[in-house]
Short mmCIF file of all heavy atoms in Angstrom, two decimals:
data_model
loop_
_atom_site.label_atom_id
_atom_site.label_comp_id
_atom_site.label_asym_id
_atom_site.label_seq_id
_atom_site.Cartn_x
_atom_site.Cartn_y
_atom_site.Cartn_z
N PRO A 1343 6.43 -6.17 10.80
CA PRO A 1343 6.34 -5.74 12.20
C PRO A 1343 7.66 -5.19 12.72
O PRO A 1343 8.73 -5.57 12.26
CB PRO A 1343 5.95 -7.03 12.92
CG PRO A 1343 6.50 -8.13 12.07
CD PRO A 1343 6.38 -7.63 10.65
N LEU A 1344 7.55 -4.28 13.69
CA LEU A 1344 8.75 -3.71 14.28
C LEU A 1344 9.62 -4.79 14.90
O LEU A 1344 10.85 -4.68 14.92
CB LEU A 1344 8.36 -2.67 15.33
CG LEU A 1344 7.66 -1.41 14.82
CD1 LEU A 1344 7.22 -0.53 15.98
CD2 LEU A 1344 8.57 -0.63 13.87
N GLY A 1345 8.98 -5.83 15.38
CA GLY A 1345 9.72 -6.91 16.01
C GLY A 1345 10.61 -7.68 15.06
O GLY A 1345 11.48 -8.44 15.50
N ALA A 1346 10.41 -7.48 13.75
CA ALA A 1346 11.26 -8.16 12.77
C ALA A 1346 12.65 -7.55 12.72
O ALA A 1346 13.56 -8.11 12.11
CB ALA A 1346 10.62 -8.10 11.39
N GLY A 1347 12.82 -6.39 13.37
CA GLY A 1347 14.12 -5.74 13.39
C GLY A 1347 14.45 -5.09 12.06
O GLY A 1347 13.57 -4.68 11.30
N SER A 1348 15.74 -5.02 11.75
CA SER A 1348 16.19 -4.40 10.50
C SER A 1348 15.75 -5.27 9.32
O SER A 1348 15.66 -6.49 9.42
CB SER A 1348 17.71 -4.27 10.51
OG SER A 1348 18.17 -3.66 9.33
N HIS A 1349 15.44 -4.59 8.20
CA HIS A 1349 15.07 -5.35 7.00
C HIS A 1349 15.76 -4.76 5.78
O HIS A 1349 16.48 -3.75 5.88
CB HIS A 1349 13.55 -5.41 6.82
CG HIS A 1349 12.87 -4.07 6.78
ND1 HIS A 1349 12.98 -3.21 5.70
CD2 HIS A 1349 12.08 -3.44 7.69
CE1 HIS A 1349 12.27 -2.12 5.94
NE2 HIS A 1349 11.72 -2.22 7.14
N ALA A 1350 15.53 -5.35 4.62
CA ALA A 1350 16.33 -5.05 3.43
C ALA A 1350 16.04 -3.70 2.79
O ALA A 1350 16.78 -3.27 1.90
CB ALA A 1350 16.12 -6.15 2.38
N ALA A 1351 14.97 -3.00 3.23
CA ALA A 1351 14.64 -1.71 2.60
C ALA A 1351 14.55 -0.60 3.64
O ALA A 1351 13.72 0.29 3.54
CB ALA A 1351 13.34 -1.82 1.83
N MET A 1352 15.42 -0.63 4.62
CA MET A 1352 15.42 0.39 5.65
C MET A 1352 15.80 1.77 5.10
O MET A 1352 15.55 2.79 5.74
CB MET A 1352 16.41 0.01 6.76
CG MET A 1352 16.03 -1.24 7.53
SD MET A 1352 14.58 -1.00 8.58
CE MET A 1352 15.27 0.03 9.87
N ASN A 1353 16.41 1.79 3.90
CA ASN A 1353 16.88 3.07 3.36
C ASN A 1353 15.84 3.80 2.53
O ASN A 1353 16.12 4.87 2.00
CB ASN A 1353 18.15 2.85 2.53
CG ASN A 1353 17.92 1.88 1.38
OD1 ASN A 1353 16.99 1.10 1.41
ND2 ASN A 1353 18.78 1.94 0.38
N GLY A 1354 14.63 3.27 2.36
CA GLY A 1354 13.63 4.07 1.68
C GLY A 1354 12.55 3.34 0.91
O GLY A 1354 12.64 2.13 0.69
N ALA A 1355 11.53 4.10 0.52
CA ALA A 1355 10.37 3.58 -0.18
C ALA A 1355 10.64 3.48 -1.68
O ALA A 1355 11.55 4.11 -2.22
CB ALA A 1355 9.17 4.48 0.07
N PHE A 1356 9.81 2.68 -2.36
CA PHE A 1356 9.92 2.56 -3.81
C PHE A 1356 8.64 1.93 -4.35
O PHE A 1356 7.83 1.38 -3.62
CB PHE A 1356 11.14 1.71 -4.21
CG PHE A 1356 11.09 0.28 -3.72
CD1 PHE A 1356 10.50 -0.72 -4.51
CD2 PHE A 1356 11.61 -0.08 -2.49
CE1 PHE A 1356 10.46 -2.04 -4.06
CE2 PHE A 1356 11.57 -1.40 -2.04
CZ PHE A 1356 10.99 -2.38 -2.82
N ASP A 1357 8.47 2.04 -5.67
CA ASP A 1357 7.35 1.44 -6.38
C ASP A 1357 7.86 0.67 -7.58
O ASP A 1357 8.88 1.04 -8.18
CB ASP A 1357 6.38 2.50 -6.90
CG ASP A 1357 5.65 3.24 -5.80
OD1 ASP A 1357 6.27 4.08 -5.13
OD2 ASP A 1357 4.46 2.98 -5.62
N ILE A 1358 7.13 -0.38 -7.95
CA ILE A 1358 7.38 -1.09 -9.20
C ILE A 1358 6.06 -1.11 -9.95
O ILE A 1358 5.07 -1.66 -9.45
CB ILE A 1358 7.88 -2.52 -8.97
CG1 ILE A 1358 9.16 -2.52 -8.12
CG2 ILE A 1358 8.13 -3.23 -10.30
CD1 ILE A 1358 9.55 -3.88 -7.59
N LEU A 1359 6.03 -0.50 -11.13
CA LEU A 1359 4.80 -0.42 -11.90
C LEU A 1359 4.84 -1.37 -13.08
O LEU A 1359 5.86 -1.48 -13.78
CB LEU A 1359 4.57 1.01 -12.39
CG LEU A 1359 4.35 2.02 -11.26
CD1 LEU A 1359 5.42 3.08 -11.28
CD2 LEU A 1359 2.98 2.65 -11.34
N SER A 1360 3.72 -2.06 -13.32
CA SER A 1360 3.59 -2.97 -14.44
C SER A 1360 2.43 -2.52 -15.31
O SER A 1360 1.49 -1.88 -14.83
CB SER A 1360 3.35 -4.41 -13.95
OG SER A 1360 4.40 -4.83 -13.11
N PHE A 1361 2.48 -2.90 -16.59
CA PHE A 1361 1.54 -2.37 -17.58
C PHE A 1361 0.80 -3.48 -18.30
O PHE A 1361 1.30 -4.61 -18.40
CB PHE A 1361 2.30 -1.48 -18.57
CG PHE A 1361 3.11 -0.42 -17.88
CD1 PHE A 1361 4.44 -0.64 -17.53
CD2 PHE A 1361 2.53 0.80 -17.54
CE1 PHE A 1361 5.18 0.32 -16.87
CE2 PHE A 1361 3.27 1.77 -16.87
CZ PHE A 1361 4.59 1.53 -16.54
N PRO A 1362 -0.40 -3.18 -18.81
CA PRO A 1362 -1.19 -4.22 -19.47
C PRO A 1362 -0.57 -4.73 -20.76
O PRO A 1362 -0.78 -5.88 -21.14
CB PRO A 1362 -2.54 -3.53 -19.73
CG PRO A 1362 -2.25 -2.07 -19.68
CD PRO A 1362 -1.14 -1.91 -18.70
N ASP A 1363 0.21 -3.88 -21.44
CA ASP A 1363 0.89 -4.30 -22.66
C ASP A 1363 2.08 -5.17 -22.29
O ASP A 1363 3.02 -4.69 -21.65
CB ASP A 1363 1.34 -3.07 -23.45
CG ASP A 1363 2.02 -3.43 -24.76
OD1 ASP A 1363 2.27 -4.63 -25.00
OD2 ASP A 1363 2.30 -2.50 -25.55
N PRO A 1364 2.07 -6.46 -22.67
CA PRO A 1364 3.19 -7.34 -22.29
C PRO A 1364 4.53 -6.89 -22.85
O PRO A 1364 5.58 -7.30 -22.36
CB PRO A 1364 2.77 -8.71 -22.85
CG PRO A 1364 1.77 -8.40 -23.92
CD PRO A 1364 1.06 -7.17 -23.46
N GLY A 1365 4.50 -6.05 -23.88
CA GLY A 1365 5.74 -5.56 -24.45
C GLY A 1365 6.30 -4.35 -23.73
O GLY A 1365 7.40 -3.90 -24.04
N GLU A 1366 5.55 -3.83 -22.75
CA GLU A 1366 5.99 -2.66 -22.00
C GLU A 1366 6.71 -3.11 -20.74
O GLU A 1366 6.13 -3.78 -19.89
CB GLU A 1366 4.79 -1.79 -21.64
CG GLU A 1366 5.15 -0.44 -21.07
CD GLU A 1366 5.87 0.44 -22.08
OE1 GLU A 1366 5.50 0.43 -23.27
OE2 GLU A 1366 6.82 1.13 -21.67
N PRO A 1367 7.99 -2.79 -20.58
CA PRO A 1367 8.74 -3.26 -19.41
C PRO A 1367 8.29 -2.61 -18.11
O PRO A 1367 7.76 -1.50 -18.10
CB PRO A 1367 10.18 -2.86 -19.75
CG PRO A 1367 10.04 -1.69 -20.67
CD PRO A 1367 8.81 -1.95 -21.48
N ASP A 1368 8.49 -3.34 -17.02
CA ASP A 1368 8.20 -2.79 -15.70
C ASP A 1368 9.08 -1.57 -15.44
O ASP A 1368 10.16 -1.42 -16.04
CB ASP A 1368 8.46 -3.84 -14.62
CG ASP A 1368 7.43 -4.96 -14.63
OD1 ASP A 1368 6.40 -4.81 -15.32
OD2 ASP A 1368 7.66 -5.97 -13.96
N LEU A 1369 8.63 -0.74 -14.53
CA LEU A 1369 9.36 0.48 -14.20
C LEU A 1369 9.56 0.55 -12.69
O LEU A 1369 8.63 0.30 -11.92
CB LEU A 1369 8.59 1.70 -14.71
CG LEU A 1369 9.24 3.08 -14.52
CD1 LEU A 1369 8.90 3.99 -15.70
CD2 LEU A 1369 8.75 3.74 -13.23
N PHE A 1370 10.76 0.89 -12.28
CA PHE A 1370 11.11 1.04 -10.86
C PHE A 1370 11.17 2.53 -10.57
O PHE A 1370 11.86 3.28 -11.25
CB PHE A 1370 12.47 0.39 -10.60
CG PHE A 1370 12.85 0.32 -9.15
CD1 PHE A 1370 12.39 -0.71 -8.34
CD2 PHE A 1370 13.69 1.27 -8.58
CE1 PHE A 1370 12.76 -0.79 -7.00
CE2 PHE A 1370 14.06 1.20 -7.24
CZ PHE A 1370 13.59 0.16 -6.46
N TYR A 1371 10.42 2.95 -9.55
CA TYR A 1371 10.28 4.38 -9.24
C TYR A 1371 10.72 4.65 -7.81
O TYR A 1371 10.30 3.96 -6.88
CB TYR A 1371 8.83 4.81 -9.43
CG TYR A 1371 8.55 6.26 -9.10
CD1 TYR A 1371 8.75 7.26 -10.04
CD2 TYR A 1371 8.09 6.63 -7.84
CE1 TYR A 1371 8.49 8.59 -9.74
CE2 TYR A 1371 7.83 7.95 -7.53
CZ TYR A 1371 8.03 8.93 -8.48
OH TYR A 1371 7.79 10.24 -8.17
N VAL A 1372 11.57 5.67 -7.66
CA VAL A 1372 12.06 6.06 -6.34
C VAL A 1372 11.98 7.57 -6.20
O VAL A 1372 12.35 8.30 -7.12
CB VAL A 1372 13.53 5.63 -6.13
CG1 VAL A 1372 14.01 6.02 -4.73
CG2 VAL A 1372 13.70 4.13 -6.34
#
């Protein structure tokens, strides 16, 4: 909510993708 004020990701959006293969590492996308 806007009432929460400033938060830790005010500088932009991002995604974290995970895969069904447990040997495949997660990926951070910006």
